[in-house]
Amino acid sequence: MKPRHFLSLLDLSPAELKQLIARARELKALLKRGELHRPLVGKTMAMIFEKSSTRTRVSFETGMAQLGGASLFLSPRDTHLDRGEPVEDTARVLSRMVDVIVIRANSHAMVERFAAHSQVPVINALTDLHHPCQLLADMQTFIELCGDIAGKKAAWIGDGNNVCHSWMQAAKQFGFSLNIAIPKGYEPNASLVAACRDHVTLLQDPKQAARAADVVVTDTWASMGQEHEKAERTKAFAGFMVDAALMKLAKPNAVFMHCLPAYRGAEVAAEVIDGPQSVVWDEAENRLHAQKALLEFLLVGNKK
Ligand code: CP
Ligand code: NVA
């Protein structure tokens, strides 16, 4: 039987996603009560990271330890991946030894090739196209703090990047509307937009996007691998900083989200990210709980 993978938010049904968020909240409560929950004793998770990470790496490793399993961190430099061993062969070999494989890769196509040859679930820990694990945590955070997100209005201000793509897919799967304000030339992938078109509106004016929003979200203007474009991007994104004036246009109880790492004074003003509407630390913490629910779902099935 083919394993279930989690390469994008479309790999789980809306009902499965909803259940997964509910389970993440239960696992969070269990942990806070100090109760041990170890359904993954004897299981091993391999983690292949081609790019840097603080949150994703630590939350996956900590989560796996809390669930009773073990993890192996594999930098491509220390395996044969960087010496030309085919991705397909690496997938065949690793998946005969470990129970789940988490990959952060430059190219989404690489993760798809890997998953196609893996006997065990593969989880996308960020690619150039998607960051679905981030959105599990973001949806958990919104739902915990503000209630159901279905029918609500979100505003994405900034780059049409991997995190933006996952927000678009979240809009479709969780049933909210997403206004995206992006400077010309930095729009999200057109075919991904088309697949979510009932839930996504592309704009060029941050003010128009933020008006009456329940959540305002942004991300760095220069993602990993785009550092050399930083100066040019800083120019192109002038006027796209999320500041207090922009937040005033959103609903009074709107929250501000950012996947982190953040650059104060660029995509977000310090007064916003460090202000009362910011929920970025809850988002970061919820990476742990949401990914534990994902590991449990993929390795032992639905817990309800
Ligand atoms: N938000 C996020 O994925 O952070 P890291 O790059 O630190 O993992
Ligand atoms: N868009 C950013 C997200 C980092 C978590 C990047 O890809 O670098």
Side-chain angles (χ1 to χ4, degrees), residues 72-86:
L72 288 172
F73 185 81
L74 303 170
S75 113
R77 246 195 342 271
D78 306 324
T79 66
H80 285 280
L81 272 171
D82 257 13
R83 295 184 58 253
E85 182 165 19

Side-chain angles (χ1 to χ4, degrees), residues 51 55-56 104 126-128 131 134 159 161-163 219-220 222-225 227 259-261 287:
K51 295 179 174 187
R55 283 143 286 268
T56 308
R104 170 165 285 198
L126 181 145
T127 63
D128 55 339
H131 195 4
Q134 180 66 47
D159 191 19
N161 65 12
N162 44 9
V163 180
D219 184 17
T220 180
S223 285
M224 287 181 270
E227 290 79 1
C259 62
L260 306 176
R287 297 294 305 277

Side-chain angles (χ1 to χ4, degrees), residues 13-203:
S13 69
E16 286 172 332
L17 287 169
K18 204 170 171 188
Q19 174 53 34
L20 197 139
I21 301 299
R23 184 63 183 158
R25 297 179 68 187
E26 284 172 6
L27 292 178
K28 183 174 184 175
L30 275 184
L31 184 71
K32 305 270 175 198
R33 288 202 298 272
E35 285 179 38
L36 293 181
H37 175 64
R38 294 184 160 158
L40 302 188
V41 169
K43 306 269 188 207
T44 304
M45 172 177 74
M47 306 170 69
I48 300 174
F49 274 53
E50 294 181 350
K51 295 179 174 187
S52 309
S53 170
T54 298
R55 283 143 286 268
T56 308
R57 175 178 179 176
V58 174
S59 54
F60 265 113
E61 286 197 27
T62 305
M64 193 61 180
Q66 290 175 359
L67 293 170
S71 29
L72 288 172
F73 185 81
L74 303 170
S75 113
R77 246 195 342 271
D78 306 324
T79 66
H80 285 280
L81 272 171
D82 257 13
R83 295 184 58 253
E85 182 165 19
V87 165
E88 292 78 0
D89 292 358
T90 309
R92 289 181 181 109
V93 171
L94 286 186
S95 69
R96 283 175 177 235
M97 298 176 183
V98 305
D99 302 282
V100 58
I101 299 166
V102 175
I103 311 183
R104 170 165 285 198
N106 293 307
S107 133
H108 193 74
M110 178 276 201
V111 179
E112 285 181 335
R113 275 166 58 209
F114 196 107
H117 295 86
S118 171
Q119 294 179 16
V120 300
V122 172
I123 297 174
N124 175 1
L126 181 145
T127 63
D128 55 339
L129 276 193
H130 298 286
H131 195 4
C133 293
Q134 180 66 47
L135 264 291
L136 295 180
D138 293 356
M139 293 300 100
Q140 182 187 344
T141 305
F142 187 92
I143 292 165
E144 262 174 7
L145 298 172
C146 313
D148 197 359
I149 195 161
K152 297 273 172 37
K153 196 167 150 186
W156 174 275
I157 313 291
D159 191 19
N161 65 12
N162 44 9
V163 180
C164 176
H165 292 153
S166 290
W167 268 89
M168 290 174 0
Q169 295 193 332
K172 183 183 166 90
Q173 297 292 71
F174 288 85
F176 61 90
S177 67
L178 178 67
N179 278 343
I180 299 182
I182 306 241
K184 225 173 161 18
Y186 294 92
E187 293 85 0
N189 178 292
S191 63
L192 294 175
V193 173
C196 304
R197 67 178 168 273
D198 293 344
H199 296 275
V200 169
T201 307
L202 288 192
L203 303 162

